Amino acid sequence: MTQRIDWLATLDDWLTNPHELGHLLGYDKLTPIHGDWIKIFLKNPRFDLLQAHRGAYKSTCGVVAVILLFLCKPNTRLLIVRKSEEMASDILKTVQKHFEANGALRLFVYSRWGLTDVKTSMWSSTRTTFAFKKTITPQPSIMAAGVGASITGAHFDYIWMDDIVTIKDRYSAAERTQTKAYFDETANLIDPLGCRMLSGTPWHESDVFSTLDAALFTDRRFPFGTVDLPADELAEMGARKDRLPYAEWCCNYMLTHVADNDTIGAFVSVPNWDCQYCVAFIDPSFSDHTDTDATAVSIVGVSRGLIYFTG
């Protein structure tokens, strides 16, 4: 490779319209709003977030942002956290493949650093060090970890937590507690001038997102209908409203939480309660949130071969 480009001008163009770099990487469905999302990743406050509905390409924007981050700051130590190590590894391997195979990136790397290959001896599915990294640190350029992984004592310049809230958090209080604890732990892993970034979709009213100040969500929350996507994809997402439980649709696509009344609505209503035998259940629920304590009373009765429910 002998051709060189004006890498500084090229980098300026990619930072101005980062979704266009996404097109060069093969993500041709990214639009200017996705470019704005990529810029959120690169603003580098102490903490920032991006919450968008499922299928909106937020993780894809994160991949483009990671690549730009290393083009701007080649000595960055990045930790990628997802629900499992395997999921985090998928992101890391995607970034690896782009640096190995994408012609535009290879030309940029050669023009700036004179390198024809960015691979080093540390090039695995969980740890990667780029050849353009000039500082010597215990941490590699990128490390991938799942929620719960033991990485105490490590230090990073940037921590990206992507989809650490999943369906597991919807149905398990223990899972929600573990996820929130690990989220808090990342604050001890970031360098004083580093940045933590959280991207994902809510699954439960008491998940990680519920612990954050409401002001952080200003211009950072994008429910269904606010993102420019191909018409066929929007139509399919809209059709899911009729297939998913209403509460799940609201949290995954509208980014709001409502009471789950689907099960109750599935039963036929009767005008009179006429049962020879009844059993009642009392289920108190307490939380550390203001005005959220509640008690549910359920009554089951049997009459003429039918089972009746009320509550």
Side-chain angles (χ1 to χ4, degrees):
M1 185 180 295
T2 57
Q3 179 187 3
R4 291 179 183 265
I5 59 172
D6 184 341
W7 64 266
L8 195 57
T10 299
L11 182 59
D12 184 65
D13 288 342
W14 288 347
L15 290 172
T16 302
N17 297 293
H19 62 289
E20 294 183 359
L21 171 59
H23 297 167
L24 292 176
L25 298 174
Y27 306 126
D28 55 0
K29 294 180 181 180
L30 298 187
T31 65
I33 192 173
H34 293 111
D36 293 337
W37 292 2
I38 296 168
K39 291 177 182 179
I40 292 174
F41 280 85
L42 299 173
K43 286 182 181 297
N44 285 326
R46 289 288 291 121
F47 176 79
D48 213 329
L49 65 88
L50 172 65
Q51 190 181 77
H53 67 81
R54 298 189 70 183
Y57 298 108
K58 54 189 175 296
S59 297
T60 300
C61 290
V63 169
V64 178
V66 164
I67 290 171
L68 279 170
L69 179 66
F70 281 103
L71 298 185
C72 294
K73 300 178 179 181
N75 295 321
T76 296
R77 297 163 298 168
L78 167 68
L79 173 65
I80 299 174
V81 181
R82 304 190 86 193
K83 180 58 87 176
S84 68
E85 182 182 283
E86 181 180 4
M87 295 171 66
S89 176
D90 287 342
I91 294 287
L92 187 154
K93 288 185 289 188
T94 298
V95 174
Q96 287 176 334
K97 290 176 182 176
H98 283 311
F99 272 107
E100 286 181 283
N102 184 269
L105 284 184
R106 288 173 61 86
L107 182 56
F108 180 97
V109 168
Y110 178 74
S111 300
R112 180 170 185 182
W113 294 293
L115 298 170
T116 57
D117 189 358
V118 299
K119 293 181 67 174
T120 64
S121 59
M122 184 175 291
W123 198 265
S124 71
S125 61
T126 58
R127 298 170 68 92
T128 286
T129 296
F130 293 115
F132 50 68
K133 183 177 186 295
K134 301 305 180 185
T135 56
I136 300 174
T137 60
Q139 288 73 44
S141 298
I142 309 177
M143 181 184 296
V147 171
S150 178
I151 46 179
T152 303
H155 298 280
F156 299 93
D157 304 297
Y158 197 110
I159 299 177
W160 174 27
M161 294 162 282
D162 179 54
D163 286 335
I164 62 172
V165 178
T166 67
I167 193 171
K168 293 181 179 180
D169 297 80
R170 180 168 180 80
Y171 296 110
S172 171
E175 188 73 29
R176 292 193 295 274
T177 298
Q178 181 188 36
T179 303
K180 286 185 280 192
Y182 202 77
F183 171 80
D184 292 339
E185 175 60 22
T186 61
N188 296 322
L189 303 175
I190 197 73
D191 264 16
L193 298 180
C195 173
R196 291 190 302 154
M197 179 72 191
L198 174 65
S199 58
T201 301
W203 277 94
H204 191 276
E205 60 183 0
S206 298
D207 62 25
V208 164
F209 291 106
S210 71
T211 67
L212 304 176
D213 191 305
L216 291 170
F217 292 88
T218 303
D219 298 325
R220 297 295 188 269
R221 178 180 277 140
F222 299 87
F224 178 72
T226 63
V227 184
D228 184 19
L229 296 172
D232 56 342
E233 293 186 17
L234 288 174
E236 169 56 27
M237 292 179 193
R240 292 177 186 177
K241 184 176 182 180
D242 298 325
R243 302 197 299 267
L244 292 173
Y246 180 64
E248 186 173 333
W249 160 263
C250 285
C251 69
N252 279 181
Y253 289 90
M254 301 312 298
L255 312 182
T256 59
H257 297 289
V258 299
D260 191 346
N261 295 316
D262 297 282
T263 302
I264 296 175
F267 294 99
V268 177
S269 299
V270 294
N272 299 313
W273 181 270
D274 181 18
C275 297
Q276 291 78 41
Y277 177 76
C278 299
V279 178
F281 302 89
I282 300 176
D283 181 14
S285 174
F286 303 99
S287 76
D288 57 358
H289 297 290
T290 304
D291 298 326
T292 58
D293 298 337
T295 298
V297 178
S298 303
I299 304 173
V300 180
V302 179
S303 178
R304 292 180 287 277
L306 297 177
I307 298 176
Y308 289 77
F309 297 88
T310 190

